[in-house]
Amino acid sequence: MDKIRDKNGLTEEEFLEKYKEKNYPRPYLTADIVVIGLKGEQKKLLLIQRGGHPFINMWALPGGFSRQTETMEETAHRELLEETGVNSEFISPIGLFSKPDRDPRGWVVTQAYLCKVNFTECKALAGDDAKNAEWVDLTVKNQIITLDNGDCIISFKYENGKIEYISKDKLAFDHAEIIAKAIELL
């Protein structure tokens, strides 16, 4: 049986032999997890305080880089457990976030996930590269999302796909957009 050739006359084996990965730049892949803690009408959000650059000491969603040996969902589960001590089987995709400037380290694309838990059953423990992990009060009113841990209040408005910070404190990366998208889906 004849081998199929492409428009350049190459078989698949010949094509792969000439293929150079370096000619095709690709992004780094990460997973970020929006963990909403619910108990009755009370809502909390699980945040980590970054222990390293970029955005050292700023609040962020738990998450991190994917390994070649795992799916994005496996990355999300691993990073959530490593950074916060929370082990949840139930996560669902929120969406892919890929703005070219979303991470100062370079071209980083993240798959965001939503996880809902009873926050009284999940103690937040900082681990891995998280300096701190904490459940913060979450309120949403008139498209304004407020995150409050008593020491720091982060407040932003989400309208027409745009984030406008009301507070001087901000979240790392594009995590305000990811949180807003998760709340939209709730």
Side-chain angles (χ1 to χ4, degrees):
M1 184 172 186
D2 290 337
K3 292 190 177 191
I4 298 173
R5 298 190 175 272
D6 66 11
K7 65 181 179 185
N8 298 315
L10 300 174
T11 64
E12 184 172 346
E13 291 81 16
E14 293 166 336
F15 166 80
L16 290 173
E17 209 172 278
K18 292 182 177 211
Y19 182 82
K20 303 279 187 257
E21 286 184 21
K22 67 179 180 164
N23 293 337
Y24 302 94
R26 54 197 153 281
Y28 300 104
L29 298 175
T30 62
D32 288 309
I33 310 93
V34 177
V35 184
I36 305 280
L38 304 167
K39 185 178 182 198
E41 294 297 310
Q42 195 175 13
K43 291 184 185 95
K44 292 193 179 267
L45 179 70
L46 183 57
L47 293 177
I48 60 123
Q49 189 174 28
R50 292 186 51 78
H53 292 294
F55 302 111
I56 193 167
N57 295 327
M58 288 182 71
W59 291 98
L61 295 170
F65 288 94
S66 185
R67 297 176 179 158
Q68 288 183 335
T69 57
E70 61 191 6
T71 66
M72 293 308 295
E73 189 170 311
E74 290 168 339
T75 298
H77 285 289
R78 176 182 52 78
E79 285 291 338
L80 180 60
L81 183 60
E82 285 177 2
E83 289 190 344
T84 69
V86 173
N87 187 10
S88 177
E89 294 178 28
F90 306 104
I91 63 171
S92 56
I94 295 171
L96 194 68
F97 293 80
S98 61
K99 282 186 187 171
D101 61 350
R102 66 172 300 279
D103 190 316
R105 294 172 289 194
W107 187 14
V108 180
V109 173
T110 196
Q111 173 64 54
Y113 292 90
L114 175 63
C115 175
K116 293 186 277 186
V117 297
N118 179 333
F119 65 86
T120 61
E121 296 174 4
C122 296
K123 184 174 172 133
L125 301 168
D128 196 24
D129 54 356
K131 178 179 176 179
N132 191 7
E134 195 171 308
W135 288 105
V136 302
D137 291 330
L138 167 66
T139 56
V140 181
K141 187 175 182 181
N142 299 327
Q143 295 179 302
I144 295 175
I145 298 168
T146 302
L147 310 171
D148 184 350
N149 73 352
D151 294 326
C152 175
I153 298 175
I154 299 171
S155 192
F156 54 92
K157 186 171 188 166
Y158 181 68
E159 194 170 27
N160 300 322
K162 301 225 188 275
I163 295 293
E164 179 187 335
Y165 276 95
I166 297 165
S167 60
K168 72 172 179 53
D169 291 316
K170 297 178 178 166
L171 293 166
F173 307 101
D174 57 352
H175 290 182
E177 290 176 46
I178 296 170
I179 293 166
K181 182 67 173 179
I183 289 170
E184 244 180 27
L185 294 173
L186 285 174

